[in-house]
Amino acid sequence: MAEGLALATSVRRRWWPGARPSLAVTVVALVWLCWALVIGQLLGAVGQLNELGLLAAATLTTAPAWFDPRAWPPVLRDASNWRHRHRAPGSARMAEPVEGGGGRSAPGSWEDRALTVATVGVVLAVAAVWVARTAIAVHRGIDDPDSLGYHLPFIATFAHSGFADQHRLLIPLYPVQFYPANDELLAAIALLLTKSVVFAAVKNLAFGGLILVAAHTLGDRYRAGRLAVAAAAVVLGFPVMAFSQPGEAVNDALMLLGLLGGLAVLAHARDRPAPYVLALGAAGLALGVKFSAIVPAAALVGVAVVLLLARTGAARWRGLLTGIGLSLLTGASWYLRNLATYGNPVPPV
């Protein structure tokens, strides 16, 4: 779904001009994930979750982004800006403001060097475990009991039936058919487009890398980017994460990315509605991964709504409605489905 990258890049450049690299990557990743989930949810609701439907929806929803030269590939973008590079002196475009949270600590001190070395060491150690386990899974196959029990069957069901609905009994005595399934929906989209289930094995490695980027984005706002990366790497290195997420079809990494990414975007939000809308979409993304995200996602929604209403002036109500709609499409729809079909948004409770 490369078209989504053009859309996400266009959105980032429109609402986050001059953003620092970690913030830019976090925004693009969240926008792309929300876009893919919205397409998957809408197509899955009418039984058109298939290759043709995905290609048509991707083309229609990203067409406006291709009119923004800044979202084009570098070769095309450089060619289109040829005349701007050769215009008369004195007509240069005003530089875009740089997003971020204040200055950085002066390099050169032993504390600074020690923190850098420690952060690099922790990240490399955790990355070695995650990459090794992912490579083993790609070579050997996924063998996690939960993955084989319901994550992979959900992926196959979505791709085979065309419906994003898994009200099918899979495990007796466990109501997994009512679980939200954003992670599985993304893997089903990848399965339809690539005809391979490899994405299910490598996705958590990609999400883990994006978690570190989101952690840097959040910490950078408070001049603690490296410390935040080190802390996130330690969390990813805990056995409960390092020996369950990489190489398996489980979904905790995506939930953590949605929550941390939403917080990172809020940390850099000012008086524009777009960051708050994206944070609400990220909360819906996490909410649609698993039931255990309900409380932290609700907290993220509460913070985003309060800041949105307090900071954005006349645009606050439009932004609030847009953000709520996006969160419904990116995750809350699973709960509405349970409410409509079973009478309870969280049937296990």
Side-chain angles (χ1 to χ4, degrees):
M1 304 263 279
E3 299 92 340
L5 292 179
L7 176 64
T9 302
S10 179
V11 170
R12 201 280 300 170
R13 289 185 176 274
R14 171 68 178 84
W15 292 104
W16 287 266
R20 288 180 177 174
S22 61
L23 176 60
V25 172
T26 300
V27 169
V28 169
L30 290 179
V31 171
W32 188 92
L33 288 170
C34 290
W35 169 78
L37 287 172
V38 169
I39 287 180
Q41 292 278 10
L42 294 178
L43 292 176
V46 295
Q48 296 302 311
L49 187 62
N50 52 55
E51 185 177 5
L52 180 60
L54 288 171
L55 293 177
T59 301
L60 291 175
T61 56
T62 60
W66 293 103
F67 292 96
D68 181 3
R70 295 175 299 179
W72 296 354
V75 174
L76 298 179
R77 185 168 64 245
D78 292 343
S80 70
N81 290 334
W82 183 87
R83 68 176 185 276
H84 298 289
R85 297 199 305 271
H86 293 81
R87 57 190 171 184
S91 61
R93 181 167 57 94
M94 183 180 297
E96 294 176 328
V98 176
E99 293 259 3
R104 303 182 179 214
S105 57
S109 64
W110 70 268
E111 297 93 344
D112 182 82
R113 291 194 295 268
L115 179 59
T116 300
V117 171
T119 300
V120 171
V122 172
V123 170
L124 289 178
V126 173
V129 176
W130 279 60
V131 170
R133 291 189 60 82
T134 301
I136 292 172
V138 171
H139 176 73
R140 180 196 60 196
I142 295 173
D143 61 0
D144 171 67
D146 286 347
S147 299
L148 299 177
Y150 60 94
H151 292 296
L152 290 175
F154 287 172
I155 296 170
T157 298
F158 294 165
H160 177 72
S161 67
F163 285 93
D165 191 327
Q166 77 278 12
H167 276 329
R168 302 186 182 186
L169 182 63
L170 294 176
I171 304 177
L173 304 180
Y174 288 93
V176 297
Q177 65 269 24
F178 297 108
Y179 287 1
N182 273 355
D183 190 89
E184 292 82 0
L185 181 58
L186 291 173
I189 292 174
L191 174 60
L192 287 167
L193 295 177
T194 64
K195 309 302 180 184
S196 172
V197 77
V198 171
F199 178 78
V202 303
K203 62 181 177 61
N204 284 336
L205 180 62
F207 294 154
L210 291 173
I211 287 171
L212 296 179
V213 175
H216 184 275
T217 303
L218 179 58
D220 189 52
R221 175 64 178 83
Y222 307 100
R223 305 183 184 183
R226 285 168 297 176
L227 186 60
V229 171
V234 169
V235 172
L236 295 179
F238 287 158
V240 70
M241 294 291 290
F243 294 96
S244 68
Q245 300 302 302
E248 307 295 351
V250 293
N251 52 17
D252 301 85
L254 180 60
M255 180 187 71
L256 184 58
L257 174 60
L259 295 172
L260 191 59
L263 285 175
V265 171
L266 281 182
H268 292 268
R270 296 176 181 175
D271 59 351
R272 299 162 299 171
Y276 305 99
V277 172
L278 183 57
L280 289 171
L285 186 157
L287 186 66
V289 173
K290 57 196 312 180
F291 289 142
S292 57
I294 292 177
V295 173
L300 177 58
V301 168
V303 173
V305 169
V306 170
L307 294 179
L308 171 64
L309 296 179
R311 292 180 175 177
T312 55
R316 60 182 179 272
W317 297 112
R318 185 176 58 212
L320 179 61
L321 292 176
T322 303
I324 292 176
L326 181 60
S327 64
L328 289 175
L329 289 173
T330 57
S333 58
W334 302 104
Y335 298 83
L336 296 178
R337 176 210 60 186
N338 290 342
L339 181 63
T341 59
Y342 191 74
N344 186 343
V346 188
V349 176

